[in-house]
Each structure stands twice: as structure tokens, then as C-alpha cells.
Amino acid sequence: MTVTPLDPRPLPPWAGELTSLRHDEPTGTWSVIAVHSTRLGPAVGGTRAMVYPSLPAAVADARRLAGAMTLKVAVAGLPMGGGKSVVTLPAPRHRLDDDTWHRALEAHARHIELLRGTYWTGPDIGTDTTDMDVLRRHTTYAFGRAESDGGSGTSAEATAIGVVAAVRAAAREAGHPGLAGLRVLVQGLGAVGMRVARAVSAAGARLLVADVDPDRVARAVGLAAAVEVVAPEEVVRTPCDVLVPCAVGGLIDARVARTLPAAVVVGGANNVLADDEAADVLAARGAVVAPDFVANAGGAIHLVGREVLGWSAERVRKRAEAIEGTLAEIFADARTRGVGSVRAALERAERSLAVEPAA
């Protein structure tokens, strides 16, 4: 396999604590670890594996996601900090042979191990529980392993529970006591998105779905008697009551926000809003936004709760369901102070980060 190396140009400064890069010559992959904050405890965040156009783009993605993780664990009340890692792939994952992929994971695990517990990782886009099993053979600091390997299994169920709880809270804030009859558009039908689609459909919502994978779309169509399929490029132009992006981030920038035909946006994916202005535009238009770092925190609650704090599955479920109450408080605070919900959530996270950690 011919590998074109990415350009390791000097990195711009950022507000985080650490950015660490390692190149693995045999596989042509880069391992990028971004630690945004260890204020409340060791940094946690998933490992994302995908093709990036450049090394600076991979670093920027890791840093952006790490900052979101800091907010996520702070609002969720977890004694951890925020981090993220990415493995840059020389070709799409399905085109890599297993030997190359496992060697890339081993190189990434050695990189994590060098940080000696400053950063812990779990699954993310492009990785799953079996990949965490591989990482754990080479580093102590990986969780989300398969249950058969002593781990807590996938966090997708807990993430979806939290996202659906966020949909209920946001819909109620928009004046809807329930989901029955609402047009809910789920973009991205992976492990989380498919579960969200199934749950909102069962709650009586009129389901709209979008995904680049036709097989996933076909499975989603079978979830209800009438499911509307939306072309991926039409997601931000399709009228709906609730938009739930569950794919990659950056879907809504300020330009899209000005015309987005959705009354409610619930962040199932990370970094759904591409820029700060998008949040302001949506707030000015009266749209209800459930910030992604609140709405999709169920995965972090699952991984940290089960494998670090020793929580039971039932306790994790209750904490994920409690996202509904957390968002209700955020929406109430935003209304009282006349600010957008994203700003209210950010300030809530900042207050948590300002509290002196327990000894």
C-alpha cells in the first residue's frame, strides 16, 4: 500500500493543556492525542479513526472534540477531564487489511501509555469495542471493551437514552408535551442514531431518516409503517419539528442556521454547531437547541460510570435519563436570563469547572 505522509506543520496555539503526536511509519498513520483539561480528573475521550485531508485538520478535530468533552463531563457531574484522540488513516477503514489496522491500534495504544493515565480513551467514530480490546492489550488506559473481555460493552445504548431524553426536554421547551405526531429527522443511522430513531418512532413521532449508507436507511425504513427518507444533502433544508444530527459534527454553521427549517435541534453528534455564531442565530430565531455536550453525555456516563466509578447498569441508565432534567434546568435558566441555551449550558459547565476538586 502506498502511503502519502501528512504534513506535520507547526501547530497553532490553543486553550488546552497538551497535544501529542506520534507517527507510525509502517502503517502510515498518525496518532493525535489532545488533552483539553485535567481540572476535575484524568482526561477522557474516544478514539476517532478516519481519513483526514491533512495533519493540521486532524489536530484541529481532536482539539475541538477534546474541548467538548471537558464541557460534557463537567455538566454530567463526572470527576474527569476532557480529551480526545484521532488516528489518521491512509485509506478508508474498510480498505485497510486487518494486520495494518491492528498495527495502527497498537501504535496508538503505545502513545496513550506514554501519557501514564493523563488520558483515557473509549470508542468513537471508526472504532468499537473490539478495537478497545486490542488497545487494552497494550495500554491500561482504554475502556469500552467487550463484556466478554471484562469491559462494559458499547456505550451506544446509554448515549441514545440520553439523546432521547434530550429530545423530550427540548420538545417540551418548544411547547410539545410529547413526541406523538412530531416530525423528527434523525441524521446518521449508526449505533446511536438507529437506536434514537427506533425510540422516537415508538413514542409516536413521524420519523424522517438520512444516512449515506443505503443499507442503514433500509433498516430504518422498517422501524415504522411510514418512514420518510431524506437525502443527506437535503437534511438542513427539510422542514421538521426536531432535527437530531447523529453523524459527524459541523452540520450547522451560521449560514445554515439562518434558514434551518427546524424548531428544535438536539445534538446527538459532537460539535453539531460549526461556529459560535450559529448558536446565536438559532437563539435569535427562537429555535430550541439542546447542546450536544449535554444531550449526548450518556456515552461518557456509561464508560466512566461502569469502568471507573463502578456503577451498576441501572445507575448508568438513570443518570443518562437524568439528562432530561438537566436540560430542563438549562432551558429555564436561559429563559430567566434572556440568553441562548448553548450559552446557559456553557456557563453551567464553567461553574462546575470552577469548583475545587475533591482531594
Side-chain angles (χ1 to χ4, degrees), residues 1-4 23-31 49 51 87-110 126-127 131 134-135 138:
M1 179 174 59
T2 302
V3 174
T4 302
H23 184 239
D24 183 59
E25 185 68 30
T27 62
T29 59
W30 282 88
S31 167
V51 176
V87 176
T88 69
L89 302 182
R93 171 67 185 89
H94 68 273
R95 287 173 48 194
L96 296 181
D97 60 86
D98 288 343
D99 183 62
T100 299
W101 174 235
H102 286 165
R103 289 178 66 176
L105 286 174
E106 290 170 15
H108 182 51
R110 291 193 294 272
T127 59
D131 299 321
V134 175
L135 289 181
H138 304 277

Coordinates of all heavy atoms in Angstrom, one line a residue, residues 1-4 23-31 49 51 87-110 126-127 131 134-135 138:
M1 N 0.9 -1.2 0.0 CA 0.0 0.0 0.0 C 0.9 1.2 0.0 O 1.8 1.4 0.8 CB -0.9 0.0 1.2 CG -1.8 1.2 1.4 SD -2.9 1.0 2.8 CE -1.8 0.9 4.1
T2 N 0.7 2.2 -0.9 CA 1.4 3.4 -1.0 C 0.8 4.4 0.0 O -0.4 4.7 -0.1 CB 1.4 4.0 -2.4 OG1 2.0 3.0 -3.3 CG2 2.3 5.2 -2.5
V3 N 1.7 5.0 0.8 CA 1.2 6.0 1.8 C 1.8 7.3 1.5 O 3.0 7.5 1.3 CB 1.6 5.5 3.2 CG1 1.2 6.6 4.2 CG2 1.0 4.2 3.6
T4 N 0.9 8.3 1.4 CA 1.4 9.7 1.3 C 1.4 10.4 2.7 O 0.4 10.5 3.3 CB 0.4 10.5 0.4 OG1 0.4 9.9 -0.9 CG2 0.9 12.0 0.2
H23 N 3.9 9.4 14.9 CA 3.8 8.9 13.5 C 4.2 7.4 13.5 O 5.3 7.1 14.1 CB 4.6 9.7 12.5 CG 4.4 9.2 11.1 ND1 5.4 8.7 10.3 CD2 3.3 9.1 10.3 CE1 5.0 8.4 9.1 NE2 3.7 8.6 9.1
D24 N 3.4 6.6 12.9 CA 3.8 5.2 12.8 C 4.2 4.9 11.3 O 3.3 4.8 10.5 CB 2.7 4.3 13.2 CG 3.0 2.8 13.2 OD1 4.0 2.4 13.9 OD2 2.4 2.0 12.5
E25 N 5.4 4.8 11.1 CA 5.9 4.6 9.7 C 5.4 3.4 9.0 O 4.9 3.5 7.8 CB 7.4 4.6 9.7 CG 8.0 4.6 8.3 CD 7.8 5.9 7.5 OE1 7.7 7.0 8.2 OE2 7.7 5.8 6.3
P26 N 5.3 2.2 9.6 CA 4.9 1.0 8.9 C 3.4 1.1 8.3 O 3.1 0.6 7.3 CB 5.0 -0.1 9.9 CG 6.1 0.4 10.8 CD 5.9 1.9 10.9
T27 N 2.6 1.8 9.1 CA 1.2 1.9 8.7 C 0.8 3.2 8.0 O -0.3 3.3 7.4 CB 0.2 1.7 9.9 OG1 0.4 2.7 10.8 CG2 0.5 0.3 10.5
G28 N 1.7 4.2 8.2 CA 1.4 5.5 7.6 C 0.4 6.3 8.4 O -0.2 7.2 7.9
T29 N 0.1 5.9 9.6 CA -0.9 6.6 10.5 C -0.2 7.5 11.4 O 0.9 7.3 11.8 CB -1.7 5.5 11.3 OG1 -0.9 4.8 12.1 CG2 -2.5 4.6 10.3
W30 N -1.0 8.5 11.8 CA -0.6 9.4 12.9 C -1.6 9.2 14.0 O -2.8 9.0 13.8 CB -0.7 10.9 12.5 CG 0.4 11.4 11.6 CD1 0.5 11.3 10.2 CD2 1.5 12.1 12.1 NE1 1.6 11.9 9.8 CE2 2.3 12.4 10.9 CE3 2.0 12.4 13.3 CZ2 3.5 13.0 11.0 CZ3 3.3 13.1 13.4 CH2 4.0 13.4 12.2
S31 N -1.1 9.2 15.2 CA -1.9 9.2 16.5 C -1.8 10.6 17.1 O -0.7 11.1 17.4 CB -1.3 8.1 17.4 OG -1.9 8.3 18.7
A49 N -11.2 7.3 14.3 CA -10.3 6.8 13.2 C -10.9 7.1 11.9 O -12.0 6.6 11.6 CB -10.0 5.3 13.3
V51 N -10.1 9.1 7.6 CA -9.1 9.8 6.7 C -9.3 11.3 6.9 O -10.4 11.8 6.9 CB -9.5 9.4 5.3 CG1 -8.6 10.2 4.3 CG2 -9.3 7.9 5.1
V87 N -6.9 8.8 15.1 CA -5.9 8.0 14.3 C -6.2 8.4 12.8 O -7.3 8.1 12.3 CB -6.0 6.5 14.5 CG1 -5.1 5.8 13.6 CG2 -5.8 6.2 16.0
T88 N -5.2 9.0 12.2 CA -5.4 9.3 10.8 C -5.1 8.1 9.9 O -4.1 7.5 10.0 CB -4.4 10.5 10.4 OG1 -3.1 10.0 10.4 CG2 -4.5 11.6 11.3
L89 N -6.1 7.8 9.1 CA -5.9 6.6 8.2 C -5.5 7.0 6.8 O -5.9 8.0 6.3 CB -7.3 5.9 8.1 CG -7.9 5.4 9.5 CD1 -9.2 4.7 9.2 CD2 -7.0 4.6 10.2
P90 N -4.6 6.2 6.2 CA -4.2 6.4 4.8 C -5.2 6.1 3.8 O -5.1 6.4 2.6 CB -2.9 5.5 4.7 CG -3.2 4.4 5.7 CD -3.9 5.0 6.8
A91 N -6.2 5.3 4.2 CA -7.3 4.9 3.3 C -8.5 4.7 4.2 O -8.4 4.4 5.4 CB -7.0 3.7 2.5
P92 N -9.8 4.7 3.7 CA -10.9 4.3 4.5 C -10.8 3.0 5.2 O -10.2 2.1 4.7 CB -12.1 4.3 3.5 CG -11.6 5.2 2.4 CD -10.1 5.0 2.3
R93 N -11.4 2.9 6.4 CA -11.2 1.7 7.2 C -11.5 0.4 6.5 O -10.8 -0.6 6.7 CB -12.1 1.9 8.5 CG -12.2 0.7 9.4 CD -10.9 0.3 10.1 NE -10.9 -0.9 10.8 CZ -10.7 -2.1 10.3 NH1 -10.3 -2.2 9.0 NH2 -10.8 -3.2 11.0
H94 N -12.5 0.4 5.7 CA -12.9 -0.8 5.1 C -11.9 -1.3 4.0 O -11.9 -2.4 3.6 CB -14.3 -0.7 4.4 CG -14.4 0.2 3.3 ND1 -14.6 1.6 3.4 CD2 -14.3 0.0 1.9 CE1 -14.6 2.2 2.2 NE2 -14.4 1.2 1.3
R95 N -11.0 -0.4 3.6 CA -10.0 -0.7 2.6 C -8.7 -1.1 3.3 O -7.7 -1.5 2.6 CB -9.8 0.4 1.7 CG -10.9 0.6 0.7 CD -10.7 1.9 -0.1 NE -9.4 2.0 -0.7 CZ -8.9 3.1 -1.2 NH1 -9.7 4.2 -1.3 NH2 -7.7 3.1 -1.7
L96 N -8.6 -1.0 4.6 CA -7.3 -1.5 5.3 C -7.4 -2.9 5.7 O -8.5 -3.4 6.1 CB -7.2 -0.6 6.6 CG -6.9 0.9 6.4 CD1 -6.7 1.5 7.8 CD2 -5.7 1.2 5.5
D97 N -6.3 -3.6 5.5 CA -6.3 -5.0 5.9 C -6.2 -5.1 7.4 O -5.8 -4.1 8.1 CB -5.2 -5.8 5.3 CG -3.8 -5.2 5.6 OD1 -3.3 -5.6 6.7 OD2 -3.3 -4.4 4.8
D98 N -6.7 -6.2 8.0 CA -6.7 -6.3 9.5 C -5.3 -6.1 10.1 O -5.2 -5.6 11.2 CB -7.3 -7.7 9.9 CG -8.8 -7.7 9.6 OD1 -9.4 -6.7 9.4 OD2 -9.3 -8.9 9.6
D99 N -4.3 -6.6 9.5 CA -3.0 -6.5 10.0 C -2.5 -5.1 10.2 O -2.0 -4.6 11.2 CB -2.0 -7.3 9.2 CG -0.6 -7.3 9.8 OD1 -0.4 -7.8 10.9 OD2 0.4 -6.7 9.1
T100 N -2.8 -4.3 9.1 CA -2.4 -2.9 9.1 C -3.2 -2.1 10.2 O -2.7 -1.3 11.0 CB -2.7 -2.2 7.8 OG1 -1.9 -2.8 6.8 CG2 -2.4 -0.7 7.8
W101 N -4.5 -2.5 10.3 CA -5.4 -1.8 11.3 C -4.9 -2.1 12.7 O -4.8 -1.2 13.6 CB -6.8 -2.2 11.1 CG -7.8 -1.8 12.1 CD1 -8.7 -2.5 12.8 CD2 -8.0 -0.4 12.5 NE1 -9.4 -1.8 13.6 CE2 -9.1 -0.4 13.5 CE3 -7.5 0.8 12.1 CZ2 -9.6 0.7 14.1 CZ3 -8.0 2.0 12.8 CH2 -9.0 1.9 13.7
H102 N -4.6 -3.4 13.0 CA -4.2 -3.8 14.3 C -2.9 -3.2 14.7 O -2.6 -2.8 15.8 CB -4.2 -5.3 14.5 CG -5.5 -5.9 14.5 ND1 -5.7 -7.3 14.4 CD2 -6.8 -5.4 14.8 CE1 -7.0 -7.5 14.5 NE2 -7.7 -6.4 14.7
R103 N -2.0 -3.1 13.7 CA -0.7 -2.4 14.0 C -0.9 -0.9 14.3 O -0.2 -0.4 15.1 CB 0.3 -2.6 12.8 CG 0.8 -4.0 12.6 CD 1.6 -4.2 11.4 NE 2.9 -3.5 11.5 CZ 3.8 -3.5 10.6 NH1 3.7 -4.3 9.5 NH2 4.9 -2.8 10.7
A104 N -1.8 -0.3 13.6 CA -2.1 1.1 13.8 C -2.7 1.3 15.3 O -2.3 2.2 16.0 CB -3.1 1.7 12.8
L105 N -3.6 0.4 15.6 CA -4.1 0.4 17.0 C -3.0 0.2 18.1 O -3.0 0.9 19.1 CB -5.2 -0.6 17.2 CG -6.6 -0.3 16.5 CD1 -7.5 -1.5 16.6 CD2 -7.2 0.9 17.0
E106 N -2.1 -0.7 17.8 CA -1.1 -0.9 18.8 C -0.2 0.3 18.9 O 0.2 0.6 20.0 CB -0.2 -2.1 18.3 CG -1.0 -3.5 18.4 CD -0.2 -4.6 17.7 OE1 1.0 -4.4 17.4 OE2 -0.8 -5.7 17.5
A107 N 0.1 1.0 17.8 CA 0.9 2.2 17.9 C 0.2 3.3 18.7 O 0.8 4.0 19.5 CB 1.2 2.7 16.4
H108 N -1.1 3.4 18.5 CA -1.9 4.3 19.2 C -1.9 4.0 20.7 O -1.8 4.9 21.5 CB -3.3 4.3 18.6 CG -4.2 5.3 19.3 ND1 -3.9 6.7 19.4 CD2 -5.5 5.2 19.8 CE1 -4.9 7.3 20.0 NE2 -5.9 6.4 20.3
A109 N -2.0 2.7 21.0 CA -2.0 2.3 22.4 C -0.7 2.6 23.1 O -0.7 3.1 24.2 CB -2.3 0.8 22.5
R110 N 0.4 2.4 22.4 CA 1.7 2.8 23.0 C 1.8 4.3 23.2 O 2.4 4.7 24.2 CB 2.8 2.3 22.1 CG 3.0 0.8 22.0 CD 4.3 0.4 21.3 NE 4.3 0.8 19.9 CZ 3.9 0.0 18.9 NH1 3.4 -1.2 19.2 NH2 4.0 0.4 17.7
G126 N -15.4 5.2 13.9 CA -14.3 4.4 13.3 C -13.7 3.4 14.2 O -12.9 2.6 13.8
T127 N -14.1 3.3 15.5 CA -13.6 2.3 16.4 C -14.8 1.7 17.2 O -15.8 2.4 17.4 CB -12.6 2.9 17.4 OG1 -13.2 4.0 18.2 CG2 -11.4 3.4 16.7
D131 N -12.0 -3.0 19.0 CA -10.8 -2.2 18.9 C -10.3 -1.8 20.3 O -9.1 -1.7 20.5 CB -11.1 -0.9 18.1 CG -11.5 -1.3 16.7 OD1 -11.0 -2.3 16.1 OD2 -12.4 -0.6 16.2
V134 N -8.2 -4.5 21.6 CA -6.9 -4.5 21.1 C -6.0 -3.5 21.9 O -4.9 -3.8 22.3 CB -6.9 -4.2 19.6 CG1 -5.5 -4.1 19.1 CG2 -7.6 -5.3 18.8
L135 N -6.6 -2.3 22.0 CA -5.9 -1.2 22.8 C -5.5 -1.7 24.2 O -4.4 -1.5 24.6 CB -6.7 0.0 22.8 CG -6.9 0.8 21.6 CD1 -7.8 2.1 21.9 CD2 -5.6 1.2 20.9
H138 N -2.3 -3.4 25.1 CA -1.1 -2.6 25.1 C -1.1 -1.4 26.0 O 0.0 -0.7 26.1 CB -0.8 -2.2 23.6 CG -0.8 -3.4 22.7 ND1 0.4 -4.1 22.5 CD2 -1.7 -3.9 21.9 CE1 0.1 -5.1 21.6 NE2 -1.2 -5.0 21.2

